[in-house]
Structures are given as C-alpha cells and as structure tokens.
Amino acid sequence: MKTLNLWQNLNPMILPCRSTSPTLNVVYAIHPSPSPSPVRSHCSLTQQHPLRCAVLGAGFAGLSVVWHLLKESPKELNLRIDIYDEVGIGGGASGISGGLLHPYSPKVRLLWEGAQCWKESMELLRIAEEASVSKDCKIGECAEDMKAFVAHKRGILRPAMDLKNVTKLNDNVKTSLPSCRVETLNNEEAQSLLPGLCLPFNTAFYMPEALNIHPQQYLQALFIACENLVKESSTLDSGQKQLSLHKRSVHRLSEFEGEYDAVIVCLGAKVNMLPEISGRLPLRTCRGVIVHLEPPDDMRVYPEYGPSILSDAWISVQGPRSLNVGSTWEWKSINSSPNVSTDEASKALLQLLPKASAIYPGIKDWVFTGARAGLRAMPPLTPLGSLPLLGCINDVIGRNHTCKYWLFGGLGSRGLLYHGWLGNLMAHAVLSCNEEVIPSELTSWKSTRPKS
C-alpha cells in the first residue's frame, strides 16, 4: 500500500487545555489566528458555545466517529471532542479481534452495503497508514510497531465445507466486487497457495485483496490521524478544534448531562452496564477466546505468502511464526476481561484446534503460547443480515435531556468492515442533529426493542 504524507506544512500552535479530570491522558487545544469572518451557527450553536461531543469508547466505532466529526464538521465550527475509555485506544474487544477484513458472508455473498463499507474501511486504513509514518508519530509508538498494522497482504481463503452449497457459493462469486475479488480454486490451485491444505470438497474461495489487520496497532494509528487533523486545523482559517482522551470508566450517562451537546455511545457490549440503557437494547453478548500459536522449532513456519483461513475456526496469520486461531462463542457472558484463565484457555484450545487442523493439519504441532478474549455485542438477525444499531436514543432512555444521546453499537464480529461507513453516517447525524441521515435499516431496531 503506497503511503502519502499529507502533513508536510504543519505549523501547529498547541496550548495545554485544563481539565477537571485527573485521568486525562491526552489533550490538544488548538488556537488558530483570529478569523475576520464570523462563525456560522451550527445546530443552534454560537461562536462562544462550541459543539461539545463526548465519545464513549475508543474502539472501531468510537475512533471512526471521532475522525469523521473532525473531518466533516464545518471548518468555522468550534468543536470539542472528549473520548472516554477506561483502557485507552483499542484496549477492548476491537483491539483483540481477529482483524480479517472482507465484505462477504460465509456463503461468499456480498453483505448489505458491502461495497460502501469496504470502500470506507479501505479509506480509513489508508489514512491510518499515512499517520503511522508521519513526522508527528512518536518514536517507539509507531516507527516499528504501527507501520505493519496491515499484516502481509496474503488474502483470505475460505474452504467449501458443505457440498450442497458449493453451487450457490459459485453463483455468489460471480457478483463479487472488482476491488475485492473472489476466485474459485480447485485443490491443486489452493495447494499452490498453502501446501498441506486439506479441502473437504476440493474447492476453496480465495479473496486475494482481503486483508489481515493488527487491530490495536491500526486503532493507535487512527488516533494519531485524528490528532494530526486537529493540528492541521490550526494552520487554516477555521474554528477551534479540541481533542482529548480520558482514561476513565463511564458508569452512567447522567455523568455527562449539562456538559455536552452530544454524547455518542460506542461501548460495544459494555453498553449494557449503563443503567439508563441496560435491558433496553436488542443486543446479545458473546465472549470469544482467541488462542495464539507458534511453531515448535525453527524448521517449521507458515508459508511466506500463505493466506489466512476462514472456516469453522479461522486462522489469522500474524507472521510466518505467529498464528491466531479463533474464536469460541460463549453466549450471554458478561465477562469483558481480556484475560483468560488457564482453564478457559485449555477449553478454547480443545474447541478450536480440531477445527483448524481439519483444514490445515500442520497446525496440530504448533505450540500454544497464550490467549486473549473479547466480549462482543451481537445485533439481532434481520432479513438483510445482522445489522448494527444506530440512532438517537433520547426516547430510549426517557426523560427530557439537555443534550442528544446517540448509539453506535451492535457491530458484532464485523466491526472492522462496518466502522468506516457507519462512523461517517453517525458523524453526519450528530453534526446535523438529524437522525434521518442514517438509513432506516440501521434505526429500525427501535420499533422492536425490548420493553423497559
């Protein structure tokens, strides 16, 4: 992926911004030279009263919203964004995800709005990659770690696991995106990509442009891109932009009443821990464990250009000597800790290794070196698939409020695909104070949500 440096002519005037929060981690307050032209009011705001937004969560959803709020807001608008996350950038389920990015269902059918989602995700990846090599990226924070947040571009392979569906899958291949092709491979062709592969029905579907992302490193780079965008605004004839990261827990929405004009809830499965929302959303929680494997000796490594694998268990290639295998499904779990006990790790390995080795037998000899877990918020199934939940939730939480509360949740296991486009939609809704800019398919959950 070619990288571009968009930040060559920076002349930031960065001043510290006081905060009452002792847990404030990063604060930028950008003060440009006074503009001779008045700032237009936006969403009933004045120049003396900036648009104040709190974004709860620093995973895929939260950082996408932050980027698009900064990018899409009118240049004359004074904008203050505070991010709240108790474990920091990418420290939750987003940062632990498998990182396999493609726009297709298990039957190789293009997902709802898959083309737009793929396009916007690729754009955010480009933006993050540019930030990761920019001169403002701190040494040690990105120079070696973040430049490789896109793992080797190996593509992703999905073996056919059910003979009766092979014809349907072959039909779906014909409608794949030109920018993310799907190719049907026979056993010989698949073996040339990954020697030792075992195909139950001698057919596999290969996505050569699909990517394998290191999620936490990507999110750290995207946050740096947001910081750079704030700095860049200081060189323009524009309103004041502020971005702050607060590493602290959020216990209830009422904490933000009166301080913000908009609160965007991007907490994933932790949204159910907020008393104003708990039990009122059609979400199910699911804890997934991912195990990490390494080869037993220096002689055995994963093939240099071998693709990642999607099957009953997926194999996410981190490098020739590093594989992640996932994921387990523990429904109704409330355990959001990324830490995995010895007993839980053993059970996960017993579940995952037979499934993975059925497709790639060589993995049986690899050595278990650790496990991590994330708690996902799974949305309900609709005729269009499992779609995330977006919208204004003032009517959900009840009572009159002085600010607008918004939800961006239920990304399930497709957060990496959905986060770019839906973050853009959410930002436009917040900036315009208009929920109707969000497609009705993403707000229809309100008519069927659990009764409080």
Side-chain angles (χ1 to χ4, degrees), residues 280-313:
R280 302 188 180 195
L281 301 178
L283 293 173
R284 295 187 297 164
T285 57
C286 181
R287 179 173 171 84
V289 176
I290 297 172
V291 298
H292 182 70
L293 303 177
E294 294 181 0
D297 53 54
D298 293 336
M299 300 300 294
R300 279 177 280 190
V301 296
Y302 201 78
E304 183 178 1
Y305 297 105
S308 294
I309 297 173
L310 283 172
S311 186
D312 293 338

Side-chain angles (χ1 to χ4, degrees), residues 9 15 29 80 82 117 131 140 162 165-166 212 215 222 232 261-262 272 305 310 343 362 384:
N9 299 314
L15 300 176
R80 165 187 157 196
D82 291 323
C117 291
D162 187 340
N165 285 324
V166 169
N212 182 7
L222 184 56
E232 183 189 16
D261 302 291
N272 280 323
Y305 297 105
L310 283 172
D343 181 60
L384 297 173

Side-chain angles (χ1 to χ4, degrees), residues 13 193 205 395:
M13 298 164 54
L193 282 175
F205 301 92
D395 57 336

Side-chain angles (χ1 to χ4, degrees), residues 66-77:
V66 170
W67 166 262
H68 287 104
L69 283 171
L70 291 168
K71 187 68 175 177
E72 303 300 332
S73 59
K75 69 176 185 177
E76 68 272 19
L77 178 68

Side-chain angles (χ1 to χ4, degrees), residues 220-294:
Q220 289 167 352
L222 184 56
F223 180 65
I224 289 173
C226 293
E227 292 180 307
N228 289 345
L229 199 56
V230 171
K231 296 174 189 177
E232 183 189 16
S233 71
S234 70
T235 67
L236 306 174
D237 183 15
S238 62
Q240 176 181 316
K241 311 295 183 186
Q242 299 180 41
L243 173 63
S244 308
L245 170 63
H246 306 259
K247 289 184 70 173
R248 49 158 280 199
S249 300
V250 175
H251 300 290
R252 54 194 316 119
L253 291 177
S254 59
E255 298 173 26
F256 304 97
E257 188 73 21
E259 186 175 354
Y260 294 97
D261 302 291
V263 176
I264 306 105
V265 182
C266 308
L267 291 172
K270 291 184 179 180
V271 69
N272 280 323
M273 299 180 183
L274 299 174
E276 297 96 334
I277 298 179
S278 180
R280 302 188 180 195
L281 301 178
L283 293 173
R284 295 187 297 164
T285 57
C286 181
R287 179 173 171 84
V289 176
I290 297 172
V291 298
H292 182 70
L293 303 177
E294 294 181 0

Side-chain angles (χ1 to χ4, degrees), residues 316-368:
S316 176
V317 182
Q318 308 300 296
R321 298 182 54 81
S322 179
L323 300 177
N324 285 337
V325 180
S327 165
T328 61
W329 296 79
E330 183 187 348
W331 291 100
K332 298 183 180 180
S333 173
I334 58 173
N335 181 5
S336 61
S337 172
N339 299 320
V340 177
S341 68
T342 301
D343 181 60
E344 186 180 24
S346 297
K347 291 178 179 178
L349 196 61
L350 287 173
Q351 288 183 41
L352 297 172
L353 196 56
K355 296 176 181 178
S357 61
I359 302 301
Y360 184 60
I363 204 173
K364 287 188 292 186
D365 297 326
W366 285 51
V367 179
F368 170 79

